[in-house]
Amino acid sequence: MSNGNTVLPSVATIGQPSRAARVPARRLRQGLVAATLMIGDAAAALAAGCLASLALHGLPATPGMLLGILLLGPLPCPVIAVLAVFAALGLYAGDGPSPPERLRLRALGLTLFAAGCLLVSGSVTAVLLGAVALVTGLLLVLGFYGEWAAQRILVRAGLWGAPTVIVGADSAGRALADALLAHPELGLRPIGFVLDRSQDPGLRTERLPVLDSLDGAGLSAAEVAVFSSCADLVRHDGLRVGALPDMRVVLAQQIQDLQAMWLQVRPLGGAVGIEIRRELYRTRNLMLKRVLDVTAAGLGLVLVAPLILLLAGLIWLADPGSPFYAQVRVGRNGRPIRVLKLRTMYRDADEKLRDHLDADPEARAEWQRFFKLAQDPRILPRVGHFIRRSSLDELPQLWNVLRGDMSLVGPRPFPSYHLDSFGPAFRRLRTSVPPGLTGLWQVSARSDGDLAVQESQDTYYIRNWSLWLDLYILLATVPAVLGAKGAR
């Protein structure tokens, strides 16, 4: 592949590989992807079975029993058999679906596996039910992180995502390419643009090469063709599809504020109807979200209370005074809420910030863009930086979740000066839902995202909410926090 400023000649002039030559390369990539994902799931299954057996039965008496635990686990069916269920649900393809949908399919597969174990056992006992619940719960969590690690290995190796050409190099096509390049987890890996017949064949692009025109044959490596508009698809329907029957076609239509996940498509005669649901505003979903918040926040507070007390002691040693503070933020429907945090700054932080911004114009510009500073003079040395980078200062907000001020997942509660930097429409949208302890912005961009990124991520979350998206964000928060990517 040439650089992004070159138009490659048609492969008709340089020797186009036949379809028979393309298929083995495609199958090799797909086989490597499937094998890597299966290795991750196999490791998670063995670990889950072993941990569950140890929790239920203790240490084995002999090495042979230990081997049996590793291979079989505590259930009537070998734990490793869950891989066959995952394969049947399509989890070992390297080109989708989206991460929350993969999590839903994983949960569905574990439900089917659990049902199979209960059927095979013949008799259902409380011990068996406990073992099934423990193993499937461990498999859901460990399998998620195993897939997360395997996916990143595949992304680095250039194997994750179906090689994709984008039809049309106009502004919509380029924006789509940028989005897919920024989010490889979506499963489509752009390799170049294919020009519309109306576009200049000498067109130059910055990040991807122009491979060929639709009338040419220069699409040897592509598995997917993405059309960035309905008009392009209608105009060229049948031209490339007939020439390349093994290439899948995807239509990407940019519609402002339209949800992108969990869409219901309805045939309406000669038209296609898309049912738009605002799930986060439904009363039953808000009630279910609240039940899960109270349950998880209550258990979480009990578990992390010793850690909070330890960190509070370290803060007091660094700067005597209360280790906790409450900051007024904007909650649901614009109601002010007092958000609890561990103090990571000096008690005279406001004065230090004001003096720093007055003396440093570059710092002032950075503050006006991000409302954060890479070199913040307010932060306590050592302990303050550690707590902020690990996001442990947010742990007391579990009490806010328990009180009903916040939810576990949602747009982060902003101070009024931060929220006022957005337009009125987005402010209304953002305050129409409960703020969260963590959110989509935190697991993707974290503090590296400017106001435009924050608005985009929060809008996406509100428009596409589901319990699976919440669970995905909660699980993805752990590696985001451990990696401290973008944290300040």
Side-chain angles (χ1 to χ4, degrees), residues 121-172:
S121 68
S123 62
V124 178
T125 64
V127 173
L128 178 60
L129 287 175
V132 168
L134 181 59
V135 170
T136 53
L138 287 170
L139 268 173
L140 183 65
V141 175
L142 296 178
F144 174 86
Y145 293 120
E147 181 181 272
W148 179 86
Q151 188 181 87
R152 272 143 189 80
I153 293 173
L154 291 167
V155 168
R156 292 192 185 97
L159 295 173
W160 183 266
T164 300
V165 292
I166 297 174
V167 180
D170 56 6
S171 58

Side-chain angles (χ1 to χ4, degrees), residues 42-371:
L46 293 176
C50 186
L51 290 173
S53 296
L54 293 176
L56 295 170
H57 307 299
L59 291 172
T62 65
M65 294 177 62
L66 177 61
L67 180 61
I69 287 175
L70 284 172
L71 295 179
L72 299 178
L75 303 180
C77 300
V79 180
I80 201 74
V82 76
L83 270 69
V85 183
F86 290 160
L89 292 174
L91 280 177
Y92 298 137
D95 53 1
S98 66
E101 174 64 6
R102 293 182 69 87
L103 182 60
R104 187 190 71 83
L105 291 174
R106 182 173 294 275
L108 174 61
L110 290 172
T111 302
L112 296 174
F113 173 73
C117 290
L118 296 177
L119 289 174
V120 169
S121 68
S123 62
V124 178
T125 64
V127 173
L128 178 60
L129 287 175
V132 168
L134 181 59
V135 170
T136 53
L138 287 170
L139 268 173
L140 183 65
V141 175
L142 296 178
F144 174 86
Y145 293 120
E147 181 181 272
W148 179 86
Q151 188 181 87
R152 272 143 189 80
I153 293 173
L154 291 167
V155 168
R156 292 192 185 97
L159 295 173
W160 183 266
T164 300
V165 292
I166 297 174
V167 180
D170 56 6
S171 58
R174 296 186 190 203
L176 178 61
D178 290 341
L180 293 177
L181 289 170
H183 299 283
E185 68 275 6
L186 295 178
L188 297 179
R189 177 166 51 88
I191 59 174
F193 292 101
V194 174
L195 293 184
D196 185 286
R197 283 174 294 179
S198 63
Q199 291 178 317
D200 180 6
L203 180 68
R204 300 293 190 267
T205 62
E206 295 178 0
R207 302 186 65 181
L208 292 172
V210 175
L211 298 176
D212 206 341
S213 70
L214 277 174
D215 296 325
L219 307 174
S220 59
E223 297 179 19
V224 178
V226 178
F227 288 79
S228 58
S229 74
C230 289
D232 286 341
L233 178 61
V234 171
R235 186 163 55 251
H236 299 290
D237 189 26
L239 177 63
R240 297 308 303 165
V241 180
L244 294 175
D246 55 341
M247 179 182 290
R248 289 173 292 153
V249 175
V250 175
L251 171 63
Q253 189 69 33
Q254 298 280 352
I255 304 178
Q256 185 69 25
D257 291 337
L258 179 67
Q259 68 189 80
M261 299 172 62
W262 328 116
L263 290 173
Q264 297 290 327
V265 179
R266 294 175 176 268
L268 301 176
V272 176
I274 300 177
E275 183 177 343
I276 300 173
R277 298 180 179 181
R278 302 303 191 204
E279 297 290 348
L280 192 49
Y281 299 106
R282 295 190 175 190
T283 302
R284 70 169 185 269
N285 288 336
L286 288 171
M287 292 176 61
L288 179 58
K289 187 175 174 68
R290 179 65 186 145
V291 169
L292 296 176
D293 284 343
V294 171
T295 303
L299 292 174
L301 269 177
V302 172
L303 294 175
V304 303
L307 177 59
I308 292 176
L309 293 176
L310 173 62
L311 295 173
L314 295 175
I315 292 169
W316 187 87
L317 291 174
D319 185 37
S322 174
F324 300 96
Y325 79 102
Q327 188 175 45
V328 177
R329 301 287 179 98
V330 180
R332 190 182 182 194
N333 298 323
R335 179 175 63 89
I337 59 174
R338 293 175 61 83
V339 174
L340 297 176
K341 299 187 76 172
L342 285 167
R343 182 169 60 87
T344 58
M345 297 183 178
Y346 290 101
R347 285 174 295 167
D348 59 345
D350 291 339
E351 291 80 3
K352 289 181 180 292
L353 176 63
R354 184 171 56 252
D355 294 343
H356 183 65
L357 296 183
D358 289 342
D360 190 340
E362 291 185 0
R364 176 175 292 277
E366 180 184 3
W367 176 261
Q368 291 173 344
R369 181 181 180 189
F370 297 103
F371 289 102

